[in-house]
Amino acid sequence: MPTPTGELLVSAAAPGGKLRESLTVELPEEVDPKEIAPADARELTRVLLRRLATLEEGTREYSYVRNTLVEMNLSLVRFAIRRFTSHREPQEDLLQVGAVGLIKAIDRFDPELGVEFTTFAMPTVLGEIRRHFRDTTWAVHVPRRLQELRILLAKAQDKLFQDLDRAPTPTELAEHLSLPVEEVIQGLAAANGHTAGSLDLGSSEDEDGPGALADRLGHEDRDLARVEDLVALKPLVAKLPERERLILSMRFCEDMTQSQIGERLGLSQMHVSRLLTRTLRQLREGLERD
């Protein structure tokens, strides 16, 4: 536990409650645990992990020992993320993701197994980083099956390129991996899902070129849906009584108010309102049935 002088008192109890070893590890307050020499950090990690296993989770001492373990072993995370230098993900983001894996390894580690902590923790840290790439770094959603296939294809392409001295065809990749050609084509297409091109990026540096992609993309024409509605409404309107058809025409074609319609037909504004409501409900129900 932390002492007034900044020391960390560490003791490990053997089965049966007998004291197996009692160590006092000096950690002056001005010393950064991340700057401890690697050999000393490994030994101190062993001691602190044994101590952590005897503490109750949620206590102040448990949090202190756990946080010290994380800070001392961040170098393990930095070593792990060197394997992913080809990715464009910011190193700080990968460090945070790897630190989550380190914390999981600390929480799951059992000192009684006799395994080195680094051996146990490295697969967990790497797995957390790979999961981050799998779940968050794709520009579009790609099924996990195709994400894993992309990795296999990348390895197969490298090997076949060396053997053939040229880029392999989808058929050659399919034969090499014993997969259907269609599945290989899907995997090759999925490889493009990591990045997305800008809609503002022009396709040519020539000023007379086609210009930005966004200027050439089509967009949804809302009038098309209106045409479909009008076509569907036409037979329904034809079935209405003549007076209801006339009211619809004056209201929606001539843009007359209900009062003006009432004056022309000799009806009250309230009566016109009820007729419109009933007619529109009837048309709406007819569209939903169709």
Side-chain angles (χ1 to χ4, degrees), residues 112-166:
E112 299 301 325
L113 294 178
V115 179
E116 280 291 334
F117 176 70
T118 53
T119 304
F120 176 85
M122 183 60 78
T124 306
V125 173
L126 291 173
E128 199 69 27
I129 296 174
R130 291 191 183 102
R131 188 178 299 109
H132 170 75
F133 283 121
R134 186 190 71 204
D135 297 339
T136 64
T137 61
W138 290 79
V140 296
H141 175 71
V142 175
R144 183 174 180 178
R145 174 182 63 85
L146 293 180
Q147 294 181 23
E148 295 173 349
L149 177 58
R150 181 189 68 87
I151 299 175
L152 292 177
L153 287 172
K155 295 179 180 178
Q157 284 176 315
D158 291 342
K159 183 179 187 307
L160 291 177
F161 185 86
Q162 293 178 356
D163 295 343
L164 303 174
D165 198 24
R166 59 173 174 80

Side-chain angles (χ1 to χ4, degrees), residues 187-207:
L188 293 173
N192 298 322
H194 258 301
T195 58
S198 172
L199 293 178
D200 296 325
L201 183 64
S203 59
S204 173
E205 296 180 358
D206 186 359
E207 294 182 357

Side-chain angles (χ1 to χ4, degrees), residues 218-228:
H219 59 85
E220 182 179 355
D221 190 347
R222 297 181 180 179
D223 290 337
L224 290 177
R226 183 177 302 176
V227 170
E228 292 178 357

Side-chain angles (χ1 to χ4, degrees), residues 14-120:
K18 295 183 180 180
L19 189 64
R20 186 176 61 195
E21 66 177 283
S22 180
L23 301 174
T24 300
V25 183
E26 295 186 358
L27 270 182
E29 294 181 354
E30 64 273 11
V31 173
D32 187 344
K34 293 178 290 186
E35 297 179 356
I36 298 176
D40 295 337
R42 284 194 296 271
E43 181 59 34
L44 184 55
T45 294
R46 296 190 191 99
V47 176
L48 291 180
L49 286 169
R50 291 197 298 270
R51 177 59 178 157
L52 189 69
T54 67
L55 298 175
E56 181 180 354
E57 186 175 353
T59 61
R60 181 180 178 183
E61 186 178 359
Y62 180 94
S63 299
Y64 183 84
V65 174
R66 186 171 181 251
N67 292 341
T68 303
L69 281 167
V70 173
E71 292 182 6
M72 283 196 309
N73 289 279
L74 279 177
S75 58
L76 181 67
V77 177
R78 295 189 179 91
F79 176 79
I81 63 179
R82 292 176 188 170
R83 301 190 181 187
F84 303 93
T85 54
S86 60
H87 293 272
R88 299 179 181 179
E89 197 75 0
Q91 294 292 301
E92 285 300 319
D93 290 352
L94 294 183
L95 184 62
Q96 292 183 19
V97 173
V100 172
L102 175 62
I103 293 171
K104 290 181 179 180
I106 291 173
D107 293 341
R108 298 170 183 170
F109 185 73
D110 184 358
E112 299 301 325
L113 294 178
V115 179
E116 280 291 334
F117 176 70
T118 53
T119 304
F120 176 85

Side-chain angles (χ1 to χ4, degrees), residues 240-250 261 265 267 271 275 278-279:
L240 293 174
E242 184 178 353
R243 185 179 62 174
E244 278 72 1
R245 293 202 307 270
L246 182 59
I247 291 175
L248 286 176
S249 177
M250 288 187 291
I261 296 172
L265 298 180
L267 302 172
H271 193 186
L275 289 173
R278 185 183 66 186
T279 302

